[in-house]
Amino acid sequence: QVQLVESGGGLVQPGESLRLSCTTSGFTKDYDTVGWFRQAPGYDSEGISCMRASDQRTYYDESVKGRFTISTDKNVVYLQMNSLKPEDTAVYYCAAAMSPTGCHRLGFDYWGQGTQVTVSS
Protein backbone atom coordinates (compact mmCIF):
# COMPACT_ATOMS: atom_id res chain seq x y z
CA GLN A 1 0.00 0.00 0.00
CA VAL A 2 1.01 3.60 -0.45
CA GLN A 3 3.13 5.05 2.33
CA LEU A 4 4.73 8.40 2.95
CA VAL A 5 7.10 8.52 5.89
CA GLU A 6 8.57 11.79 7.11
CA SER A 7 11.76 12.10 9.08
CA GLY A 8 14.26 14.76 10.09
CA GLY A 9 12.25 16.85 12.49
CA GLY A 10 13.58 17.96 15.83
CA LEU A 11 14.39 20.80 18.17
CA VAL A 12 16.66 23.55 16.87
CA GLN A 13 17.56 27.10 17.81
CA PRO A 14 16.49 30.13 15.78
CA GLY A 15 18.70 30.61 12.74
CA GLU A 16 19.61 26.95 12.44
CA SER A 17 18.70 24.53 9.66
CA LEU A 18 16.92 21.22 9.27
CA ARG A 19 16.29 18.95 6.33
CA LEU A 20 13.07 16.98 6.28
CA SER A 21 12.76 13.83 4.21
CA CYS A 22 9.65 12.08 2.97
CA THR A 23 10.18 8.56 1.69
CA THR A 24 7.40 7.35 -0.58
CA SER A 25 6.57 3.75 -1.41
CA GLY A 26 3.81 1.58 -2.78
CA PHE A 27 2.84 3.77 -5.73
CA THR A 28 1.87 1.79 -8.83
CA LYS A 29 1.73 4.98 -10.92
CA ASP A 30 3.86 8.11 -10.72
CA TYR A 31 2.35 10.89 -8.63
CA ASP A 32 2.34 14.37 -10.13
CA THR A 33 2.45 16.84 -7.28
CA VAL A 34 4.24 16.56 -3.98
CA GLY A 35 4.01 19.03 -1.18
CA TRP A 36 4.89 19.96 2.36
CA PHE A 37 2.26 21.25 4.74
CA ARG A 38 2.49 22.28 8.36
CA GLN A 39 0.12 22.72 11.24
CA ALA A 40 0.84 24.63 14.41
CA PRO A 41 -1.30 24.20 17.54
CA GLY A 42 -4.51 26.18 17.22
CA TYR A 43 -4.01 26.90 13.54
CA ASP A 44 -5.24 25.36 10.30
CA SER A 45 -2.75 23.46 8.21
CA GLU A 46 -1.04 25.47 5.50
CA GLY A 47 0.68 24.44 2.30
CA ILE A 48 4.19 25.81 2.45
CA SER A 49 5.86 24.29 -0.59
CA CYS A 50 4.73 22.14 -3.50
CA MET A 51 6.33 20.80 -6.65
CA ARG A 52 4.40 19.77 -9.77
CA ALA A 53 6.01 17.35 -12.17
CA SER A 54 3.59 17.99 -15.04
CA ASP A 55 4.82 21.55 -15.61
CA GLN A 56 7.89 21.66 -13.37
CA ARG A 57 6.39 24.45 -11.27
CA THR A 58 7.36 25.01 -7.68
CA TYR A 59 5.39 26.99 -5.11
CA TYR A 60 6.52 28.54 -1.84
CA ASP A 61 4.38 30.31 0.69
CA GLU A 62 5.53 33.85 1.36
CA SER A 63 6.39 32.93 4.93
CA VAL A 64 9.12 30.51 3.79
CA LYS A 65 10.20 31.92 0.43
CA GLY A 66 13.97 32.32 0.29
CA ARG A 67 14.51 30.11 3.33
CA PHE A 68 13.00 26.72 2.38
CA THR A 69 13.73 24.59 -0.67
CA ILE A 70 11.76 21.59 -1.90
CA SER A 71 13.46 18.92 -3.98
CA THR A 72 13.07 15.31 -4.97
CA ASP A 73 15.45 12.44 -5.56
CA LYS A 74 13.86 9.26 -6.87
CA ASN A 75 11.22 8.36 -4.28
CA VAL A 76 12.26 10.85 -1.61
CA VAL A 77 10.93 14.38 -1.22
CA TYR A 78 13.07 16.81 0.74
CA LEU A 79 12.43 20.11 2.43
CA GLN A 80 15.59 22.03 3.27
CA MET A 81 14.76 24.60 5.93
CA ASN A 82 17.28 27.35 6.64
CA SER A 83 17.20 30.36 8.94
CA LEU A 84 14.49 28.77 11.03
CA LYS A 85 12.29 31.00 13.16
CA PRO A 86 10.15 30.24 16.23
CA GLU A 87 7.06 30.74 14.06
CA ASP A 88 8.15 27.77 11.94
CA THR A 89 7.32 25.51 14.88
CA ALA A 90 4.70 23.01 13.72
CA VAL A 91 4.05 19.43 12.70
CA TYR A 92 5.21 19.06 9.11
CA TYR A 93 3.46 16.69 6.72
CA CYS A 94 4.32 15.58 3.23
CA ALA A 95 1.64 14.72 0.72
CA ALA A 96 1.29 13.39 -2.81
CA ALA A 97 -1.32 13.97 -5.50
CA MET A 98 -1.84 11.73 -8.50
CA SER A 99 -3.17 14.63 -10.61
CA PRO A 100 -1.73 18.13 -10.96
CA THR A 101 -2.92 20.36 -8.16
CA GLY A 102 -2.16 23.59 -6.39
CA CYS A 103 -0.68 23.70 -2.95
CA HIS A 104 -4.03 23.14 -1.27
CA ARG A 105 -4.81 20.36 1.14
CA LEU A 106 -7.91 19.17 -0.70
CA GLY A 107 -5.93 18.40 -3.86
CA PHE A 108 -3.77 15.74 -2.28
CA ASP A 109 -4.53 12.04 -2.11
CA TYR A 110 -1.93 10.61 0.24
CA TRP A 111 -0.40 11.91 3.46
CA GLY A 112 2.39 11.06 5.84
CA GLN A 113 2.03 10.92 9.59
CA GLY A 114 3.95 14.12 10.24
CA THR A 115 7.18 15.10 11.97
CA GLN A 116 7.53 17.73 14.70
CA VAL A 117 9.75 20.74 14.15
CA THR A 118 10.36 22.98 17.14
CA VAL A 119 12.37 26.17 16.89
CA SER A 120 13.21 27.60 20.28
CA SER A 121 16.10 29.12 22.18
Side-chain angles (χ1 to χ4, degrees), residues 35-72:
W36 287 95
F37 293 73
R38 68 184 179 188
Q39 186 166 22
Y43 290 85
D44 289 335
S45 66
E46 56 177 343
I48 56 171
S49 183
C50 294
M51 177 181 283
R52 221 161 43 202
S54 52
D55 58 7
Q56 297 294 302
R57 296 191 79 166
T58 302
Y59 163 85
Y60 293 98
D61 185 79
E62 283 299 321
S63 64
V64 305
K65 199 173 287 186
R67 299 188 298 124
F68 290 12
T69 305
I70 189 171
S71 63
T72 61

mmCIF file of all heavy atoms in Angstrom, residues 35-72:
data_model
loop_
_atom_site.group_PDB
_atom_site.id
_atom_site.type_symbol
_atom_site.label_atom_id
_atom_site.label_comp_id
_atom_site.label_asym_id
_atom_site.label_seq_id
_atom_site.Cartn_x
_atom_site.Cartn_y
_atom_site.Cartn_z
ATOM 1 N N GLY A 35 4.030 17.796 -1.942
ATOM 2 C CA GLY A 35 4.005 19.029 -1.176
ATOM 3 C C GLY A 35 4.330 18.820 0.278
ATOM 4 O O GLY A 35 4.273 17.701 0.794
ATOM 5 N N TRP A 36 4.679 19.917 0.922
ATOM 6 C CA TRP A 36 4.892 19.962 2.360
ATOM 7 C C TRP A 36 3.878 20.921 2.959
ATOM 8 O O TRP A 36 3.716 22.046 2.481
ATOM 9 C CB TRP A 36 6.304 20.417 2.691
ATOM 10 C CG TRP A 36 7.342 19.389 2.420
ATOM 11 C CD1 TRP A 36 8.098 19.252 1.301
ATOM 12 C CD2 TRP A 36 7.740 18.340 3.307
ATOM 13 N NE1 TRP A 36 8.937 18.179 1.425
ATOM 14 C CE2 TRP A 36 8.745 17.610 2.649
ATOM 15 C CE3 TRP A 36 7.355 17.934 4.588
ATOM 16 C CZ2 TRP A 36 9.365 16.496 3.231
ATOM 17 C CZ3 TRP A 36 7.970 16.845 5.167
ATOM 18 C CH2 TRP A 36 8.970 16.137 4.497
ATOM 19 N N PHE A 37 3.225 20.455 4.001
ATOM 20 C CA PHE A 37 2.263 21.249 4.743
ATOM 21 C C PHE A 37 2.701 21.291 6.199
ATOM 22 O O PHE A 37 3.486 20.454 6.637
ATOM 23 C CB PHE A 37 0.867 20.609 4.655
ATOM 24 C CG PHE A 37 0.276 20.629 3.271
ATOM 25 C CD1 PHE A 37 0.751 19.795 2.282
ATOM 26 C CD2 PHE A 37 -0.756 21.492 2.961
ATOM 27 C CE1 PHE A 37 0.217 19.811 0.995
ATOM 28 C CE2 PHE A 37 -1.306 21.527 1.692
ATOM 29 C CZ PHE A 37 -0.809 20.677 0.707
ATOM 30 N N ARG A 38 2.196 22.253 6.932
ATOM 31 C CA ARG A 38 2.486 22.282 8.356
ATOM 32 C C ARG A 38 1.262 22.743 9.120
ATOM 33 O O ARG A 38 0.417 23.461 8.595
ATOM 34 C CB ARG A 38 3.684 23.179 8.657
ATOM 35 C CG ARG A 38 3.455 24.663 8.429
ATOM 36 C CD ARG A 38 4.747 25.441 8.668
ATOM 37 N NE ARG A 38 4.567 26.873 8.440
ATOM 38 C CZ ARG A 38 5.572 27.755 8.432
ATOM 39 N NH1 ARG A 38 6.824 27.335 8.625
ATOM 40 N NH2 ARG A 38 5.320 29.029 8.218
ATOM 41 N N GLN A 39 1.212 22.313 10.364
ATOM 42 C CA GLN A 39 0.118 22.720 11.240
ATOM 43 C C GLN A 39 0.653 23.003 12.622
ATOM 44 O O GLN A 39 1.241 22.121 13.259
ATOM 45 C CB GLN A 39 -0.969 21.657 11.311
ATOM 46 C CG GLN A 39 -2.192 22.105 12.088
ATOM 47 C CD GLN A 39 -3.381 21.205 11.875
ATOM 48 O OE1 GLN A 39 -3.250 20.043 11.487
ATOM 49 N NE2 GLN A 39 -4.569 21.737 12.134
ATOM 50 N N ALA A 40 0.463 24.233 13.057
ATOM 51 C CA ALA A 40 0.842 24.634 14.406
ATOM 52 C C ALA A 40 -0.379 24.511 15.310
ATOM 53 O O ALA A 40 -1.517 24.600 14.840
ATOM 54 C CB ALA A 40 1.357 26.067 14.395
ATOM 55 N N PRO A 41 -0.174 24.320 16.615
ATOM 56 C CA PRO A 41 -1.303 24.198 17.541
ATOM 57 C C PRO A 41 -2.236 25.389 17.444
ATOM 58 O O PRO A 41 -1.794 26.535 17.467
ATOM 59 C CB PRO A 41 -0.625 24.129 18.912
ATOM 60 C CG PRO A 41 0.747 23.614 18.634
ATOM 61 C CD PRO A 41 1.126 24.163 17.303
ATOM 62 N N GLY A 42 -3.525 25.109 17.274
ATOM 63 C CA GLY A 42 -4.509 26.178 17.216
ATOM 64 C C GLY A 42 -4.673 26.817 15.853
ATOM 65 O O GLY A 42 -5.468 27.754 15.713
ATOM 66 N N TYR A 43 -3.943 26.331 14.878
ATOM 67 C CA TYR A 43 -4.013 26.901 13.537
ATOM 68 C C TYR A 43 -4.403 25.824 12.518
ATOM 69 O O TYR A 43 -4.178 24.639 12.746
ATOM 70 C CB TYR A 43 -2.662 27.490 13.127
ATOM 71 C CG TYR A 43 -2.284 28.733 13.884
ATOM 72 C CD1 TYR A 43 -1.648 28.655 15.122
ATOM 73 C CD2 TYR A 43 -2.578 30.004 13.373
ATOM 74 C CE1 TYR A 43 -1.309 29.800 15.826
ATOM 75 C CE2 TYR A 43 -2.227 31.149 14.067
ATOM 76 C CZ TYR A 43 -1.600 31.042 15.288
ATOM 77 O OH TYR A 43 -1.263 32.170 15.986
ATOM 78 N N ASP A 44 -4.969 26.265 11.402
ATOM 79 C CA ASP A 44 -5.244 25.355 10.302
ATOM 80 C C ASP A 44 -3.929 24.969 9.637
ATOM 81 O O ASP A 44 -2.933 25.689 9.724
ATOM 82 C CB ASP A 44 -6.146 26.028 9.258
ATOM 83 C CG ASP A 44 -7.560 26.210 9.768
ATOM 84 O OD1 ASP A 44 -7.982 25.450 10.672
ATOM 85 O OD2 ASP A 44 -8.251 27.124 9.264
ATOM 86 N N SER A 45 -3.952 23.845 8.947
ATOM 87 C CA SER A 45 -2.753 23.461 8.206
ATOM 88 C C SER A 45 -2.578 24.390 7.015
ATOM 89 O O SER A 45 -3.557 24.924 6.467
ATOM 90 C CB SER A 45 -2.854 22.006 7.752
ATOM 91 O OG SER A 45 -3.889 21.852 6.809
ATOM 92 N N GLU A 46 -1.329 24.597 6.637
ATOM 93 C CA GLU A 46 -1.036 25.469 5.496
ATOM 94 C C GLU A 46 -0.054 24.769 4.571
ATOM 95 O O GLU A 46 0.865 24.087 5.020
ATOM 96 C CB GLU A 46 -0.471 26.805 5.972
ATOM 97 C CG GLU A 46 0.767 26.703 6.835
ATOM 98 C CD GLU A 46 1.341 28.057 7.215
ATOM 99 O OE1 GLU A 46 0.995 29.076 6.583
ATOM 100 O OE2 GLU A 46 2.158 28.094 8.150
ATOM 101 N N GLY A 47 -0.253 24.958 3.282
ATOM 102 C CA GLY A 47 0.676 24.439 2.298
ATOM 103 C C GLY A 47 1.851 25.385 2.183
ATOM 104 O O GLY A 47 1.664 26.564 1.877
ATOM 105 N N ILE A 48 3.040 24.916 2.455
ATOM 106 C CA ILE A 48 4.189 25.813 2.448
ATOM 107 C C ILE A 48 5.060 25.652 1.220
ATOM 108 O O ILE A 48 5.741 26.585 0.810
ATOM 109 C CB ILE A 48 5.027 25.679 3.727
ATOM 110 C CG1 ILE A 48 5.475 24.232 3.947
ATOM 111 C CG2 ILE A 48 4.259 26.182 4.929
ATOM 112 C CD1 ILE A 48 6.477 24.076 5.061
ATOM 113 N N SER A 49 5.064 24.477 0.611
ATOM 114 C CA SER A 49 5.856 24.293 -0.591
ATOM 115 C C SER A 49 5.350 23.079 -1.353
ATOM 116 O O SER A 49 5.110 22.038 -0.753
ATOM 117 C CB SER A 49 7.333 24.104 -0.248
ATOM 118 O OG SER A 49 8.105 24.001 -1.428
ATOM 119 N N CYS A 50 5.189 23.237 -2.657
ATOM 120 C CA CYS A 50 4.731 22.142 -3.503
ATOM 121 C C CYS A 50 5.500 22.145 -4.815
ATOM 122 O O CYS A 50 5.952 23.199 -5.279
ATOM 123 C CB CYS A 50 3.228 22.270 -3.783
ATOM 124 S SG CYS A 50 2.199 22.057 -2.316
ATOM 125 N N MET A 51 5.606 20.955 -5.396
ATOM 126 C CA MET A 51 6.327 20.800 -6.648
ATOM 127 C C MET A 51 5.482 19.947 -7.587
ATOM 128 O O MET A 51 5.051 18.857 -7.197
ATOM 129 C CB MET A 51 7.683 20.136 -6.405
ATOM 130 C CG MET A 51 8.485 19.857 -7.649
ATOM 131 S SD MET A 51 10.051 19.049 -7.245
ATOM 132 C CE MET A 51 11.006 20.430 -6.638
ATOM 133 N N ARG A 52 5.248 20.456 -8.797
ATOM 134 C CA ARG A 52 4.398 19.775 -9.767
ATOM 135 C C ARG A 52 5.255 19.249 -10.888
ATOM 136 O O ARG A 52 5.946 20.003 -11.555
ATOM 137 C CB ARG A 52 3.356 20.768 -10.289
ATOM 138 C CG ARG A 52 1.994 20.208 -10.451
ATOM 139 C CD ARG A 52 0.925 21.261 -10.528
ATOM 140 N NE ARG A 52 1.227 22.394 -11.336
ATOM 141 C CZ ARG A 52 0.603 23.574 -11.186
ATOM 142 N NH1 ARG A 52 -0.314 23.700 -10.231
ATOM 143 N NH2 ARG A 52 0.909 24.587 -11.953
ATOM 144 N N ALA A 53 5.194 17.954 -11.135
ATOM 145 C CA ALA A 53 6.012 17.347 -12.174
ATOM 146 C C ALA A 53 5.496 17.680 -13.567
ATOM 147 O O ALA A 53 6.280 17.821 -14.501
ATOM 148 C CB ALA A 53 6.048 15.833 -11.985
ATOM 149 N N SER A 54 4.184 17.828 -13.721
ATOM 150 C CA SER A 54 3.588 17.992 -15.043
ATOM 151 C C SER A 54 4.071 19.255 -15.748
ATOM 152 O O SER A 54 4.211 19.275 -16.965
ATOM 153 C CB SER A 54 2.062 18.001 -14.939
ATOM 154 O OG SER A 54 1.634 18.932 -13.975
ATOM 155 N N ASP A 55 4.326 20.320 -14.992
ATOM 156 C CA ASP A 55 4.816 21.553 -15.610
ATOM 157 C C ASP A 55 6.052 22.098 -14.913
ATOM 158 O O ASP A 55 6.459 23.241 -15.162
ATOM 159 C CB ASP A 55 3.714 22.618 -15.667
ATOM 160 C CG ASP A 55 3.155 22.958 -14.292
ATOM 161 O OD1 ASP A 55 3.716 22.473 -13.272
ATOM 162 O OD2 ASP A 55 2.171 23.704 -14.218
ATOM 163 N N GLN A 56 6.631 21.297 -14.038
ATOM 164 C CA GLN A 56 7.890 21.656 -13.365
ATOM 165 C C GLN A 56 7.765 22.936 -12.551
ATOM 166 O O GLN A 56 8.748 23.656 -12.361
ATOM 167 C CB GLN A 56 9.015 21.809 -14.396
ATOM 168 C CG GLN A 56 9.336 20.517 -15.134
ATOM 169 C CD GLN A 56 9.921 19.462 -14.220
ATOM 170 O OE1 GLN A 56 10.949 19.682 -13.588
ATOM 171 N NE2 GLN A 56 9.266 18.304 -14.111
ATOM 172 N N ARG A 57 6.571 23.231 -12.049
ATOM 173 C CA ARG A 57 6.392 24.452 -11.268
ATOM 174 C C ARG A 57 6.562 24.162 -9.782
ATOM 175 O O ARG A 57 6.175 23.099 -9.290
ATOM 176 C CB ARG A 57 5.027 25.053 -11.533
ATOM 177 C CG ARG A 57 4.872 25.512 -12.980
ATOM 178 C CD ARG A 57 3.643 26.347 -13.183
ATOM 179 N NE ARG A 57 3.845 27.721 -12.738
ATOM 180 C CZ ARG A 57 3.033 28.711 -13.041
ATOM 181 N NH1 ARG A 57 1.949 28.477 -13.764
ATOM 182 N NH2 ARG A 57 3.261 29.931 -12.616
ATOM 183 N N THR A 58 7.132 25.111 -9.112
ATOM 184 C CA THR A 58 7.356 25.012 -7.679
ATOM 185 C C THR A 58 6.706 26.202 -6.996
ATOM 186 O O THR A 58 6.795 27.332 -7.493
ATOM 187 C CB THR A 58 8.859 24.987 -7.368
ATOM 188 O OG1 THR A 58 9.456 23.881 -8.068
ATOM 189 C CG2 THR A 58 9.119 24.817 -5.881
ATOM 190 N N TYR A 59 6.077 25.940 -5.864
ATOM 191 C CA TYR A 59 5.393 26.991 -5.113
ATOM 192 C C TYR A 59 5.980 27.073 -3.709
ATOM 193 O O TYR A 59 6.289 26.034 -3.088
ATOM 194 C CB TYR A 59 3.901 26.659 -5.011
ATOM 195 C CG TYR A 59 3.178 27.437 -3.934
ATOM 196 C CD1 TYR A 59 2.684 28.711 -4.191
ATOM 197 C CD2 TYR A 59 3.008 26.906 -2.660
ATOM 198 C CE1 TYR A 59 2.033 29.434 -3.193
ATOM 199 C CE2 TYR A 59 2.364 27.619 -1.667
ATOM 200 C CZ TYR A 59 1.877 28.882 -1.938
ATOM 201 O OH TYR A 59 1.245 29.593 -0.959
ATOM 202 N N TYR A 60 6.125 28.299 -3.234
ATOM 203 C CA TYR A 60 6.522 28.538 -1.841
ATOM 204 C C TYR A 60 5.590 29.581 -1.248
ATOM 205 O O TYR A 60 5.317 30.610 -1.866
ATOM 206 C CB TYR A 60 7.956 29.054 -1.753
ATOM 207 C CG TYR A 60 8.998 28.052 -2.168
ATOM 208 C CD1 TYR A 60 9.530 28.076 -3.455
ATOM 209 C CD2 TYR A 60 9.435 27.070 -1.282
ATOM 210 C CE1 TYR A 60 10.484 27.145 -3.843
ATOM 211 C CE2 TYR A 60 10.389 26.140 -1.667
ATOM 212 C CZ TYR A 60 10.903 26.189 -2.949
ATOM 213 O OH TYR A 60 11.840 25.259 -3.327
ATOM 214 N N ASP A 61 5.133 29.299 -0.051
ATOM 215 C CA ASP A 61 4.377 30.307 0.690
ATOM 216 C C ASP A 61 5.300 31.475 1.014
ATOM 217 O O ASP A 61 6.508 31.283 1.221
ATOM 218 C CB ASP A 61 3.815 29.691 1.966
ATOM 219 C CG ASP A 61 2.911 30.654 2.712
ATOM 220 O OD1 ASP A 61 1.755 30.802 2.304
ATOM 221 O OD2 ASP A 61 3.387 31.254 3.695
ATOM 222 N N GLU A 62 4.724 32.653 1.084
ATOM 223 C CA GLU A 62 5.527 33.848 1.361
ATOM 224 C C GLU A 62 6.311 33.734 2.670
ATOM 225 O O GLU A 62 7.398 34.273 2.800
ATOM 226 C CB GLU A 62 4.629 35.078 1.410
ATOM 227 C CG GLU A 62 4.192 35.598 0.056
ATOM 228 C CD GLU A 62 5.362 36.035 -0.819
ATOM 229 O OE1 GLU A 62 6.322 36.629 -0.273
ATOM 230 O OE2 GLU A 62 5.320 35.771 -2.032
ATOM 231 N N SER A 63 5.754 33.023 3.616
ATOM 232 C CA SER A 63 6.394 32.925 4.935
ATOM 233 C C SER A 63 7.696 32.129 4.901
ATOM 234 O O SER A 63 8.508 32.238 5.831
ATOM 235 C CB SER A 63 5.429 32.292 5.933
ATOM 236 O OG SER A 63 5.122 30.957 5.560
ATOM 237 N N VAL A 64 7.912 31.336 3.842
ATOM 238 C CA VAL A 64 9.122 30.509 3.794
ATOM 239 C C VAL A 64 9.973 30.791 2.557
ATOM 240 O O VAL A 64 11.064 30.233 2.416
ATOM 241 C CB VAL A 64 8.768 29.000 3.830
ATOM 242 C CG1 VAL A 64 7.911 28.679 5.055
ATOM 243 C CG2 VAL A 64 8.084 28.548 2.544
ATOM 244 N N LYS A 65 9.484 31.653 1.686
ATOM 245 C CA LYS A 65 10.202 31.925 0.431
ATOM 246 C C LYS A 65 11.600 32.462 0.744
ATOM 247 O O LYS A 65 11.770 33.358 1.575
ATOM 248 C CB LYS A 65 9.402 32.925 -0.405
ATOM 249 C CG LYS A 65 9.763 32.946 -1.868
ATOM 250 C CD LYS A 65 8.801 33.837 -2.659
ATOM 251 C CE LYS A 65 7.457 33.175 -2.801
ATOM 252 N NZ LYS A 65 6.551 33.965 -3.688
ATOM 253 N N GLY A 66 12.591 31.900 0.072
ATOM 254 C CA GLY A 66 13.969 32.317 0.289
ATOM 255 C C GLY A 66 14.670 31.578 1.412
ATOM 256 O O GLY A 66 15.888 31.680 1.559
ATOM 257 N N ARG A 67 13.913 30.847 2.207
ATOM 258 C CA ARG A 67 14.510 30.105 3.328
ATOM 259 C C ARG A 67 14.364 28.594 3.153
ATOM 260 O O ARG A 67 15.233 27.837 3.585
ATOM 261 C CB ARG A 67 13.847 30.505 4.646
ATOM 262 C CG ARG A 67 13.992 31.971 4.991
ATOM 263 C CD ARG A 67 13.482 32.246 6.413
ATOM 264 N NE ARG A 67 12.062 31.952 6.560
ATOM 265 C CZ ARG A 67 11.566 31.117 7.473
ATOM 266 N NH1 ARG A 67 12.364 30.491 8.312
ATOM 267 N NH2 ARG A 67 10.252 30.905 7.546
ATOM 268 N N PHE A 68 13.270 28.149 2.545
ATOM 269 C CA PHE A 68 12.996 26.724 2.383
ATOM 270 C C PHE A 68 13.151 26.340 0.913
ATOM 271 O O PHE A 68 12.853 27.131 0.016
ATOM 272 C CB PHE A 68 11.567 26.388 2.815
ATOM 273 C CG PHE A 68 11.306 26.476 4.297
ATOM 274 C CD1 PHE A 68 12.213 27.069 5.179
ATOM 275 C CD2 PHE A 68 10.134 25.958 4.825
ATOM 276 C CE1 PHE A 68 11.967 27.147 6.534
ATOM 277 C CE2 PHE A 68 9.864 26.024 6.176
ATOM 278 C CZ PHE A 68 10.772 26.628 7.034
ATOM 279 N N THR A 69 13.589 25.107 0.685
ATOM 280 C CA THR A 69 13.734 24.586 -0.672
ATOM 281 C C THR A 69 13.194 23.172 -0.743
ATOM 282 O O THR A 69 13.606 22.317 0.046
ATOM 283 C CB THR A 69 15.203 24.583 -1.115
ATOM 284 O OG1 THR A 69 15.758 25.899 -0.986
ATOM 285 C CG2 THR A 69 15.322 24.141 -2.571
ATOM 286 N N ILE A 70 12.286 22.933 -1.682
ATOM 287 C CA ILE A 70 11.756 21.591 -1.900
ATOM 288 C C ILE A 70 12.532 20.946 -3.043
ATOM 289 O O ILE A 70 12.912 21.611 -4.012
ATOM 290 C CB ILE A 70 10.237 21.637 -2.220
ATOM 291 C CG1 ILE A 70 9.640 20.239 -2.236
ATOM 292 C CG2 ILE A 70 9.975 22.370 -3.531
ATOM 293 C CD1 ILE A 70 8.108 20.229 -2.327
ATOM 294 N N SER A 71 12.775 19.648 -2.920
ATOM 295 C CA SER A 71 13.459 18.916 -3.978
ATOM 296 C C SER A 71 13.052 17.455 -3.894
ATOM 297 O O SER A 71 12.478 17.008 -2.895
ATOM 298 C CB SER A 71 14.974 19.059 -3.860
ATOM 299 O OG SER A 71 15.451 18.506 -2.647
ATOM 300 N N THR A 72 13.356 16.740 -4.958
ATOM 301 C CA THR A 72 13.069 15.308 -4.969
ATOM 302 C C THR A 72 14.281 14.556 -5.508
ATOM 303 O O THR A 72 15.059 15.077 -6.307
ATOM 304 C CB THR A 72 11.852 14.972 -5.846
ATOM 305 O OG1 THR A 72 12.130 15.372 -7.197
ATOM 306 C CG2 THR A 72 10.600 15.677 -5.377
#
